[in-house]
Amino acid sequence: MNTSLKKPVIALAALTVSALALAGCSGDNGSGSGGGDGDGDQVTLVVWESLEGRSDFIKQAGEAYTEQNPNVTIEYKNVELGDAPAQIALDGPAGVGPDVFAAPSNATGELVAGGHILAVAGADELRDELLEGAVQNVTYDDEMWGVPVTIDTYSLFYNKAYVTDPPKTWDDVVAFSKQFAAENPGKYGFAMNPGVVYYAGSFLFDAPDNLPFGENVDDPSQPNTDTAATAEGAAELVKLREVLDVAADDLDDATVDTLFESGQSAMTLTGSWNIPVFDDAGLDYAVTTMPAASGSDQPSGSFSNSRTMYVSAYSEHTEAAQDFAAFLASPEMLQLAYDLTGSVPSADIPVDNEATLGLIEQGDYAFPSPSIPEAAQFWLAMDSAVKNIWNGADIDTELATATSVIEGQ
């Protein structure tokens, strides 16, 4: 199953977003304890989103929405993308959660199974307007459960001050990094977070024959986490310790991002979420496709998912929340998000940012992140496995243990 980002080249006709007669009792901040929607009353929608450009986007989008819907106010609250699935499970039932929240699309199955989100209203219209891959990312049991506002993957970012001809293979990455370290003591030619399967998956998995949960990434009987191909890929990952001899716990995302941003590493793996960070730092960088595995002339694959706006099942303002979520996927708002963050839009709008275009090119080799409920165990078990493997544990043992956890044995 090849889920391409599909290079945006033309602008869509404006997505019609209805100016609903939205309302609700105004007794709270919209976090779940207020009244239902009704004509004339003021509604405050609480929206969870990350920092790093996304906060600016939500605030500006909220102002634009309120201009069209004067009785609706958007209140931004910072909850980071990866933290939202766990936090909604706690805050939603307690009545202090959001009305709309951003989370990665690979959490869709888990959120549905927990009863934390509502299916999308007006899904047929949205399906017509959005990229197929983005819609697939939020579809579970043939129903659309969130509004994707990006379709993202990660790829090879490189500092132009150090790299003029980016490596085409992982062997080239190792060779470059050895020479670079010799010429630049204390610096790394390449750095990545090897302790999460999101990045390590580029070594372990390959479409269409060796993907988590089968060709369509939806078969819990086929985790494919202890196949011969997965084990071979893990061995390839470990070869990078020749040039990145650091324990996995000391290579978390924040550390790796800082190494690249500060010029301490020449190359890294990351995605569009770091475009505004690197731009603000004044870094002269570019993005290219992933290096190829040994014996291949095709860039390595990468996990693809979507930043998704979900409507909380605990919201007391579901009509307004559904409409605002759809509003965020309108061409105007996708353009605003792209302008502010460089994110890959979930619909066809013009893109000219070189870094974003590099990620879109990598999208041709990306494969979907699993989002079925069993995926929650996949991410946890495989994160543990790849971290231990990077730190020297036996590959076969770690993969077998992770597979047992995923299969519930």
Side-chain angles (χ1 to χ4, degrees):
M1 180 178 181
N2 179 19
T3 302
S4 169
L5 301 190
K6 295 184 178 179
K7 186 173 181 179
V9 291
I10 59 173
L12 287 174
L15 175 65
T16 302
V17 180
S18 59
L20 299 175
L22 306 171
C25 297
S26 55
D28 75 334
N29 67 355
S31 63
S33 58
D37 297 345
D39 291 341
D41 293 336
Q42 291 297 310
V43 171
T44 297
L45 297 179
V46 173
V47 181
W48 287 356
E49 245 293 11
S50 302
L51 296 173
E52 304 299 359
R54 301 308 302 192
S55 58
D56 292 337
F57 166 63
I58 287 296
K59 291 172 183 177
Q60 292 185 38
E63 292 172 358
Y65 188 79
T66 298
E67 187 174 343
Q68 295 183 20
N69 304 272
N71 62 311
V72 182
T73 300
I74 306 301
E75 179 181 320
Y76 163 78
K77 180 178 179 181
N78 173 224
V79 175
E80 291 299 309
L81 191 75
D83 298 333
Q87 192 159 337
I88 188 66
L90 298 174
D91 290 0
V96 293
D99 298 281
V100 178
F101 64 97
S105 61
N106 56 35
T108 298
E110 177 186 0
L111 291 168
V112 172
H116 304 308
I117 57 176
L118 300 179
V120 172
D124 288 343
E125 181 180 0
L126 281 171
R127 286 190 186 98
D128 291 341
E129 302 292 348
L130 300 176
L131 295 175
E132 179 184 356
V135 173
Q136 287 177 348
N137 284 342
V138 296
T139 298
Y140 176 69
D141 277 352
D142 298 323
E143 195 158 14
M144 193 171 173
W145 289 92
V147 179
V149 291
T150 70
I151 181 165
D152 267 334
T153 192
Y154 53 88
S155 199
L156 186 70
F157 282 56
Y158 64 93
N159 189 323
K160 291 182 179 180
Y162 300 138
V163 181
T164 55
D165 184 21
K168 297 295 189 291
T169 69
W170 289 110
D171 289 339
D172 293 340
V173 170
V174 171
F176 168 86
S177 298
K178 287 180 177 178
Q179 181 176 345
F180 180 83
E183 296 172 354
N184 299 272
K187 295 185 178 182
Y188 299 97
F190 172 77
M192 66 173 284
N193 181 349
V196 292
V197 71
Y198 182 65
Y199 295 117
S202 292
F203 296 86
L204 276 60
F205 303 110
D206 188 30
D209 298 327
N210 192 54
L211 289 178
F213 304 115
E215 182 178 354
N216 294 318
V217 199
D218 63 357
D219 184 354
S221 71
Q222 297 186 64
N224 287 340
T225 45
D226 61 352
T227 65
T230 303
E232 290 172 7
E236 290 294 315
L237 170 67
V238 174
K239 288 181 180 178
L240 290 174
R241 285 218 65 158
E242 294 181 39
V243 295
L244 189 61
D245 193 17
V246 180
D249 284 340
D250 295 324
L251 289 169
D252 59 87
D253 284 348
T255 300
V256 172
D257 293 347
T258 299
L259 285 173
F260 187 72
E261 182 182 348
S262 65
Q264 294 300 110
S265 70
M267 299 180 291
T268 193
L269 296 187
T270 191
S272 65
W273 50 91
N274 266 322
I275 289 177
V277 178
F278 298 156
D279 286 349
D280 288 347
L283 206 60
D284 188 17
Y285 68 98
V287 182
T288 189
T289 51
M290 295 280 284
S294 299
S296 174
D297 58 1
Q298 178 173 294
S300 298
S302 52
F303 278 117
S304 168
N305 60 10
S306 291
R307 178 181 292 269
T308 303
M309 305 307 299
Y310 295 100
V311 174
S312 169
Y314 310 99
S315 172
E316 294 289 342
H317 309 299
T318 57
E319 190 177 15
Q322 292 274 17
D323 197 60
F324 181 65
F327 177 78
L328 295 176
S330 67
E332 296 81 4
M333 292 302 101
L334 293 178
Q335 184 69 54
L336 175 63
Y338 165 69
D339 291 342
L340 290 173
T341 69
S343 58
V344 179
S346 57
D348 283 327
I349 68 169
V351 169
D352 57 8
N353 181 294
E354 290 186 6
T356 306
L357 289 171
L359 289 165
I360 290 172
E361 185 178 2
Q362 173 60 29
D364 289 335
Y365 308 99
F367 42 79
S369 298
S371 60
I372 58 177
E374 292 80 4
Q377 287 301 318
F378 167 83
W379 297 111
L380 290 172
M382 288 301 292
D383 280 357
S384 177
V386 296
K387 178 181 289 188
N388 292 340
I389 288 169
W390 180 264
N391 288 339
D394 180 72
I395 291 174
D396 291 336
T397 299
E398 291 297 325
L399 294 180
T401 299
T403 302
S404 295
V405 171
I406 295 166
E407 293 178 337
Q409 298 177 2

